[in-house]
């Protein structure tokens, strides 16, 4: 085989290390053992001393994250006393197929005075060698992109033509062998369709029927044992394969792929339950917390450790039930020693503060005025920002033209000019995206509200806070309150309320009259 001789910087006797890699695919042009054999022969031919070989087997060249040997090689060159004179490669594609990684890591190694040399890529010595190497790296990256694109196209073609899907089928399905042709050597080319597994279908149907009837995931798991944990049901009940529709990738949908397992009525009922739960999927709107007498559940947090406070009831020896809130970390004895806080004490102080200082007509009017003012300011700033970005875009467009003309006039692919052009084009795209985002976002002033309207709104809110059900009170709190922090200190409960103000979050002390401007409020103790 014809090799590329080592450069003058790797004379006979130089100590070198080698890096080899294969992707593990059937079309791999040279396995790691073959590469190592060629590199050993090369070192004997040119009198180089091969000290160590780093080998990544069945690893993709698209990233360095999982290539342990590659990362060991980079770390080894960090220490000057351990550095070899050079690093030998079978070819640059073995080093990396990602353009950014290839350029960065080769530059990093060379800055440490270590030569990087491919024994098969013809790189001329001299000032143009790096340009040729750069184009090889671009070609390797493009080959990777094309290979990935071909693989995706091949899989899509396999699904569209034969209904064959790679990988493990979903629960309740089994693979059916399909002969789709022959290989060049005459051996059959096989793939697999997904078909319902008759033995599991009744269990699948039972799970959907139970979910449609309102059963919890835990109840379904006890009855069916379809999965190892409840979390697996998240994608199970959304998979349209159970009504005969195959969704492959982001845009390929095959109707009537197989016989439906679930009837349309049951499917629709399950999807409605999923949609209903999605509305309350956030922590503060968790179903167990919304429908609870503990109206601060999901809103209240421990000031000492940051963990949420949950409702906690204790039954005494006299059978009396004491309700309170307790830090979840303290309850688990996981590093917090905060004591339990009585429900009546905490809720009474919080609701008093909200009713008196946050939801009264004066504060509501203040909130509306701040929103009107801030909306106008943001709209003016939005327009100013758009104009500034357009000026910057015109400036960069001219710079792009200048660099393009310079490349054309010189007749050479200067790396510095190409890098500058790439940088300018990236800046242009970023500015274009930012302008589009600003142009599609507007700040409109809120609808006018009369004093009488505001008085009525405030009165309605006060009545709900005083006489409403826990669910009604909780909805009011969710509309005004961002976060409540509280702790027990020297027998007193200290805390603060961070409440919503359009475009801002302001903090209001619990249980005391606030002083100072709206944007400067502080925590104060309350009993």
């Amino acid at each position: 085989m014809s090799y590329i001789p080592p450069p003058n910087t790797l004379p006979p006797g130089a100590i070198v290390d080698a890096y080899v890699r294969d992707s593990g695919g059937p079309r791999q042009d040279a396995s790691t053992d073959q590469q190592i054999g060629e590199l050993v022969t090369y070192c004997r031919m040119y009198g180089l001393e091969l000290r160590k070989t780093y080998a990544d087997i069945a690893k993709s060249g698209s990233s360095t994250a999982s290539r342990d040997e590659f990362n060991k090689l980079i770390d080894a060159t960090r220490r000057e006393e351990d550095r070899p004179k050079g690093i030998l490669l079978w070819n640059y594609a073995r080093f990396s197929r990602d353009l950014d990684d290839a350029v960065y890591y080769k530059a990093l190694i060379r800055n440490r005075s270590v030569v990087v040399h491919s024994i098969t890529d013809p790189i001329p010595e001299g000032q143009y060698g790096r340009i040729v190497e750069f184009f090889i790296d671009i070609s390797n990256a493009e080959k990777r992109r094309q290979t990935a694109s071909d693989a995706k196209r091949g899989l899509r073609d396999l699904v569209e033509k034969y209904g064959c899907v790679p990988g493990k089928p979903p629960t309740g399905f089994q693979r059916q062998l399909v002969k789709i042709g022959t290989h060049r050597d005459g051996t059959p080319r096989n793939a697999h369709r997904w078909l319902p597994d008759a033995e599991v279908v009744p269990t699948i149907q039972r799970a959907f029927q139970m979910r449609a009837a309102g059963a919890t995931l835990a109840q379904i798991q006890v009855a069916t044992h379809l999965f190892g944990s409840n979390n697996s049901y998240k994608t199970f009940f959304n998979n349209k394969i159970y009504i005969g529709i195959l969704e492959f990738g982001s845009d390929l949908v095959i109707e009537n792929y197989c016989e439906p397992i679930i009837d349309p009525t049951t499917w629709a009922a399950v999807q409605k339950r999923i949609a209903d739960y999605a509305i309350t999927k956030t922590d503060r709107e968790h179903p167990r917390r919304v429908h609870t007498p503990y109206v601060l559940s999901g809103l209240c947090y421990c000031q000492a450790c940051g963990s949420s406070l949950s409702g906690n009831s204790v039954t005494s020896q006299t059978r009396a039930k004491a309700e309170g809130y307790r830090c979840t970390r303290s309850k688990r004895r996981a590093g917090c020693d905060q004591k339990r806080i009585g429900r009546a004490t905490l809720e009474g102080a919080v609701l008093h503060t909200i009713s008196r200082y946050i939801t009264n007509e004066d504060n509501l009017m203040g909130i509306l005025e701040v929103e009107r003012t801030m909306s106008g300011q943001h709209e003016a700033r939005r327009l100013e920002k758009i104009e500034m970005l357009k000026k910057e875009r015109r400036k960069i467009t001219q710079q792009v033209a200048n660099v393009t003309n310079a490349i054309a006039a010189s007749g050479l692919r200067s790396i510095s000019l190409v890098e500058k052009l790439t940088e300018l084009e990236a800046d242009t795209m970023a500015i274009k995206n930012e302008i589009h985002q600003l142009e599609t976002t507007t700040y409109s002033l809120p609808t006018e509200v009369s004093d009488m309207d505001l008085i009525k709104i405030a009165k309605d809110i006060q009545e709900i806070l005083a006489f409403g059900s826990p669910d009604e009170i909780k909805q009011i709190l969710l509309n005004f309150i961002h976060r409540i922090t509280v702790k027990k200190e020297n027998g007193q409960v200290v805390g603060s309320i961070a409440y919503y103000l359009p475009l801002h979050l302001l903090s209001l002390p619990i249980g005391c009259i606030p002083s100072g401007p709206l944007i400067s409020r502080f925590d104060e103790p309350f009993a």
Side-chain angles (χ1 to χ4, degrees), residues 18-31:
Y19 175 75
V20 297
R21 178 188 65 82
D22 70 37
S23 300
R27 294 186 295 176
Q28 184 67 52
D29 58 344
S31 70

Side-chain angles (χ1 to χ4, degrees), residues 290-304:
V290 173
H291 304 291
T292 174
Y294 295 93
V295 297
L296 303 183
S297 183
L299 291 170
C300 215
Y301 294 83
C302 177
Q303 201 170 49

Side-chain angles (χ1 to χ4, degrees), residues 351 355 459-469 473:
L351 293 178
S355 178
K459 184 179 179 180
D460 291 342
I461 292 174
Q462 307 294 338
E463 289 186 359
I464 292 174
L465 292 177
F467 307 109
S469 68
I473 295 173

Side-chain angles (χ1 to χ4, degrees), residues 287-325:
R288 289 199 303 269
R289 292 181 174 177
V290 173
H291 304 291
T292 174
Y294 295 93
V295 297
L296 303 183
S297 183
L299 291 170
C300 215
Y301 294 83
C302 177
Q303 201 170 49
C305 70
S307 299
S308 61
L309 268 62
S310 60
N312 174 256
S313 62
V314 178
T315 303
S316 66
Q317 294 180 349
T318 61
R319 311 299 294 176
K321 186 177 181 180
E323 297 179 334
Y325 290 87

Side-chain angles (χ1 to χ4, degrees), residues 44-222:
R44 290 173 182 167
M45 182 181 297
Y46 292 102
L48 301 175
E49 184 179 341
L50 181 58
R51 182 184 65 172
K52 185 174 182 179
T53 299
Y54 299 85
D56 279 315
I57 301 173
K59 299 290 185 180
S60 170
S62 61
S63 171
T64 63
S66 62
R67 289 198 276 159
D68 296 335
E69 290 295 294
F70 179 88
N71 291 312
K72 288 179 182 178
L73 167 68
I74 299 300
D75 289 340
T77 62
R78 185 179 302 169
R79 298 180 294 273
E80 185 174 359
E81 62 274 14
D82 293 337
R83 292 172 187 164
K85 184 66 176 176
I87 294 174
L88 299 182
L89 310 169
W90 168 253
N91 60 29
Y92 285 123
R94 301 302 96 203
F95 187 77
S96 177
R97 285 191 179 274
D98 180 86
L99 179 60
D100 292 336
D101 283 348
V103 173
Y104 172 77
Y105 285 108
K106 282 190 287 186
L108 179 66
I109 293 172
R110 285 165 175 159
N111 284 337
R112 294 170 178 172
S113 301
V114 179
V115 178
V116 181
H117 178 65
S118 164
I119 69 172
T120 60
D121 291 313
I123 306 295
E125 293 194 54
Q127 58 180 331
Y128 296 113
R130 292 294 175 83
I131 297 177
V132 174
E133 183 181 306
F134 180 68
F135 285 132
I136 289 176
D137 289 335
I138 292 176
S139 176
N140 288 332
E142 174 59 22
K143 287 178 182 177
R144 176 178 68 87
R145 187 198 67 78
Q146 189 62 48
T147 299
S149 177
D150 290 344
K152 290 179 181 179
R153 186 165 51 248
L155 289 176
R156 186 185 180 94
D157 185 67
L158 195 67
V159 175
E160 286 184 311
K161 286 186 177 180
Y162 306 101
C164 294
V165 188
K168 182 181 178 181
T171 299
F173 283 77
Q174 58 186 351
R175 301 202 308 167
Q176 180 187 56
L177 184 67
V178 178
K179 182 178 179 181
I180 59 175
T182 56
H183 294 287
R184 292 181 179 179
D185 60 1
T187 58
R189 184 182 173 207
N190 298 325
H192 296 85
R193 283 182 60 90
W194 289 349
L195 292 178
D197 186 343
E199 294 184 0
V200 188
V201 165
T203 308
I204 299 292
Q205 292 172 336
R206 184 182 182 190
F208 270 86
Q209 290 164 0
M210 290 180 66
R211 191 60 171 164
T216 66
L217 298 183
Q219 291 170 336
I220 295 171
Q221 174 64 5
V222 170

